[in-house]
Amino acid sequence: MKNHIIQLKKELEIERNKLLSHPIYAKISDLAGLQNFTQIHVFAVWDFMSLLKSLQINLTSVHLPWVPVGSADTRYLINEIVLGEESDVDEQGNRISHFELYKKGMVQMGASTFSIDLLVEKIQQGISIQEAIREANLHPHVQSFLEYTFEIALHAPIHVKAGVFTFGREDLIPSMFHQLLDRLYTEVPEQVSTFRYYIERHIEVDGDHHSHLAIEMVNQLCGDDDGKWEEVLQASKKALEMRYLLWDVLL
């Protein structure tokens, strides 16, 4: 199975490098650029949570009466990831989800949360996700990005969901982005401290510990089935391509 992971990462290298070299990063040079970036990126932070919860629904028992579901190993892996994503800590040590922490950073820097708030509000009103996406007046690329995520979350086989979660939703952030945050933190710490903390926390938790847990989860779900690994590869490629189109919105 280790060989499957190595081959999968190799096959995805072109898409990953394209994301790292997307021209949008060179254009984010000041606070206004960062504000615009977060107003689009927040949709990827939000729907990532839905993809995560779809995995928890499939891999654990979330209905009554409780019965054991699947492997205890995969239950542990997904529950630990959910714990960190849904109830991490902010700078003051208060419990908060990564999505709420991200929005907190947006508010602090003066970025508008109107579009994401409108989408979430429509869903809270009981409108279906497909209809809510259409009614939120989002850019077509943002709509397509969200529609693909929920197509996977709602209808894909569990190994494909896990694969897209692990390999197709990587937040690849080049060094120039970190340099910008460091500079802005020096200039206006009162406006970017929360977002900078989010990025650091994201790298520490999601990019390290959670990524290893997620890879192990995919290993367990795909096993030595070459057909499953190929399905994971194709779905993950498309997910990375959809992220590239999301960045195109900002251009």
Side-chain angles (χ1 to χ4, degrees):
M1 286 185 283
K2 182 178 179 181
N3 290 336
H4 280 110
I5 293 293
I6 294 172
Q7 183 61 30
L8 181 65
K9 289 185 173 181
K10 183 179 179 181
E11 294 279 356
L12 293 174
E13 197 64 28
I14 292 176
E15 284 74 18
R16 295 180 81 257
N17 288 336
K18 278 183 64 178
L19 275 174
L20 275 171
S21 59
H22 194 288
I24 188 55
Y25 289 112
K27 291 184 177 293
I28 306 173
S29 59
D30 54 20
L31 182 61
L34 184 62
Q35 290 168 344
N36 289 333
F37 174 83
T38 60
Q39 288 166 191
I40 296 298
H41 184 227
V42 67
F43 289 98
V45 177
W46 172 73
D47 76 338
F48 177 83
M49 294 298 298
S50 293
L51 186 57
L52 172 62
K53 296 301 283 188
S54 75
L55 283 167
Q56 188 182 36
I57 290 169
N58 286 139
L59 294 173
T60 70
S61 180
V62 292
H63 302 288
L64 295 177
W66 180 90
V67 292
V69 172
S71 160
D73 288 334
T74 53
R75 293 198 297 264
Y76 168 78
L77 293 169
I78 194 61
N79 280 333
E80 181 162 346
I81 296 172
V82 169
L83 177 66
E85 296 286 347
E86 202 168 33
S87 50
D88 200 6
V89 291
D90 64 12
E91 312 98 302
Q92 291 77 40
N94 302 309
R95 290 295 169 189
I96 192 170
S97 72
H98 282 189
F99 169 67
E100 291 165 307
L101 179 60
Y102 193 96
K103 274 189 57 184
K104 182 181 176 184
M106 290 178 68
V107 171
Q108 185 193 48
M109 74 172 70
S112 172
T113 62
F114 175 80
S115 293
I116 186 64
D117 288 341
L118 178 61
L119 178 61
V120 172
E121 180 182 331
K122 288 183 177 294
I123 294 168
Q124 289 172 331
Q125 292 171 354
I127 298 175
S128 71
I129 178 58
Q130 294 83 1
E131 188 177 350
I133 291 172
R134 288 193 296 269
E135 290 186 4
N137 297 319
L138 304 173
H139 187 283
H141 284 352
V142 178
Q143 289 189 34
S144 297
F145 175 82
L146 293 173
E147 286 168 354
Y148 181 69
T149 299
F150 282 95
E151 176 65 26
I152 295 295
L154 293 171
H155 304 298
I158 186 61
H159 63 278
V160 172
K161 290 184 187 183
V164 169
F165 176 84
T166 305
F167 301 105
R169 293 302 306 270
E170 294 182 88
D171 279 317
L172 301 170
I173 300 175
S175 59
M176 69 176 72
F177 192 81
H178 293 287
Q179 292 167 7
L180 168 67
L181 273 180
D182 289 342
R183 176 169 61 80
L184 288 177
Y185 184 72
T186 300
E187 297 171 359
V188 285
E190 72 282 357
Q191 288 186 267
V192 298
S193 61
T194 298
F195 187 76
R196 185 172 184 248
Y197 171 82
Y198 166 85
I199 293 295
E200 292 173 346
R201 190 68 180 156
H202 178 75
I203 293 171
E204 178 185 354
V205 178
D206 299 2
D208 185 13
H209 182 54
H210 286 179
S211 66
H212 294 307
L213 293 176
I215 287 172
E216 180 57 29
M217 178 173 60
V218 176
N219 267 328
Q220 292 193 19
L221 292 171
C222 289
D224 291 319
D225 189 324
D226 291 341
K228 288 184 177 180
W229 284 106
E230 179 62 23
E231 289 175 345
V232 165
L233 170 62
Q234 295 307 321
S236 298
K237 273 188 177 182
K238 184 170 181 180
L240 291 172
E241 291 166 359
M242 299 304 289
R243 171 59 63 90
Y244 192 91
L245 291 178
L246 191 67
W247 283 176
D248 281 349
V249 176
L250 290 161
L251 293 177

